[in-house]
Amino acid sequence: MKNEKLSQRLTQVGEFVPQDAILLDVGSDHAYLPIHLVKTGRINKAIAGEVVKGPYESAVANVQSAGLQDQISVRLANGLAAFEPTTDGVNTITISGMGGHLIAEILEDGRDKLCQVSTMILQPNNGERHLRTWLQAHDFTISDEKILAENDKIYEIIVAHPGQSVDILTEAELCFGPFLLQEKSTVFLEKWASELAANQEILSKIPASAQQKQAEFSAKIAKIKEVLNVS
């Protein structure tokens, strides 16, 4: 695999993977991330899980081409069914490029397998608030976040560890991200300025008779304005 195949998004996900972790990459697609991490010496062992046969076969071919069959096991499985805690020793999980609701569903379905997992790096394409809510409800603490733009899209990365946080996340932190809200990077401001415009456009088209819907979007707009410090 050539380095250029690893996107900026996946490169950033990989930077959160602890040195010498035993990794499960859920929805590994072409196994680009585990291959990159093994080749660069970040990790020595990984499982690439993929539920769709085409990407699974591509991952198998890429791992074989890289000569990493002894270090990366490619498995056709749904979510956390790709590993067994007692035999695989997985302590780090990455899930990238899916909706936040689906990521939360995958974690919920395999929750009994998370007892030995010390780090989860999650990159939802949407539904970030839902995912943060799930993490908090199941005693995972968000320890870091990153937001980045690539190919005209904006991505958020959430790093979580087991253990209930001392501080319960506020509604604003669930929505915007506790670390992202504190940092308020250029990309963060760009994302929420775009969301503000989109919500204002929707509000302008809601009929006056739909007062509950109007109130819902007005509240969203007010929340975003407060974060952006605009009137």
Side-chain angles (χ1 to χ4, degrees):
M1 185 194 78
K2 295 180 181 177
N3 286 337
E4 61 262 30
K5 285 187 178 179
L6 197 68
S7 65
Q8 183 186 343
R9 171 181 63 90
L10 285 182
T11 299
Q12 183 62 64
V13 168
E15 287 179 5
F16 283 121
V17 173
Q19 183 67 39
D20 299 323
I22 299 176
L23 176 70
L24 168 65
D25 185 35
V26 176
S28 196
D29 200 0
H30 300 283
Y32 289 153
L33 180 60
I35 290 172
H36 168 77
L37 292 174
V38 171
K39 277 189 166 185
T40 56
R42 187 85 170 202
I43 62 173
N44 295 307
K45 184 179 179 183
I47 297 168
E50 179 55 61
V51 71
V52 181
K53 192 172 182 183
Y56 161 77
E57 291 173 345
S58 176
V60 169
N62 285 338
V63 169
Q64 289 177 344
S65 177
L68 297 175
Q69 303 96 307
D70 292 340
Q71 291 164 282
I72 301 174
S73 173
V74 184
R75 301 179 185 177
L76 186 64
N78 188 12
L80 304 191
F83 85 106
E84 287 301 326
T86 52
T87 54
D88 290 318
V90 166
N91 55 30
T92 302
I93 293 174
T94 50
I95 310 179
S96 307
M98 304 180 196
H101 286 73
L102 179 55
I103 294 175
E105 187 178 306
I106 288 169
L107 296 175
E108 179 64 36
D109 288 346
R111 191 148 56 97
D112 59 335
K113 291 186 168 187
L114 295 176
C115 55
Q116 295 177 11
V117 174
S118 57
T119 306
M120 298 195 299
I121 302 111
L122 312 171
Q123 184 271 296
N125 287 347
N126 52 53
E128 296 89 353
R129 184 195 179 284
H130 180 85
L131 181 55
R132 290 188 188 98
T133 301
W134 187 94
L135 290 169
Q136 178 164 270
H138 294 87
D139 295 336
F140 284 91
T141 297
I142 295 172
S143 62
D144 209 343
E145 293 176 309
K146 189 80 174 178
I147 188 167
L148 67 147
E150 183 175 31
N151 298 328
D152 298 322
K153 293 183 180 178
I154 292 177
Y155 302 101
E156 294 184 17
I157 300 168
I158 301 168
V159 184
H161 301 279
Q164 192 169 26
S165 175
V166 176
D167 300 313
I168 301 298
L169 295 179
T170 65
E171 176 57 33
E173 287 171 333
L174 288 170
C175 182
F176 300 100
F179 290 88
L180 303 181
L181 187 59
Q182 195 171 34
E183 183 185 2
K184 288 189 180 178
S185 69
T186 302
V187 177
F188 174 89
L189 295 174
E190 178 188 331
K191 171 181 177 172
W192 288 105
S194 176
E195 289 287 332
L196 175 61
N199 279 279
Q200 287 173 325
E201 177 71 15
I202 293 169
L203 179 60
S204 71
K205 294 179 178 177
I206 297 174
S209 57
Q211 292 183 349
Q212 187 175 346
K213 205 71 176 172
Q214 280 188 332
E216 178 187 327
F217 277 89
S218 293
K220 285 183 182 179
I221 289 166
K223 191 162 54 176
I224 298 170
K225 280 184 172 182
E226 184 178 352
V227 166
L228 295 178
N229 196 25
V230 296
S231 56

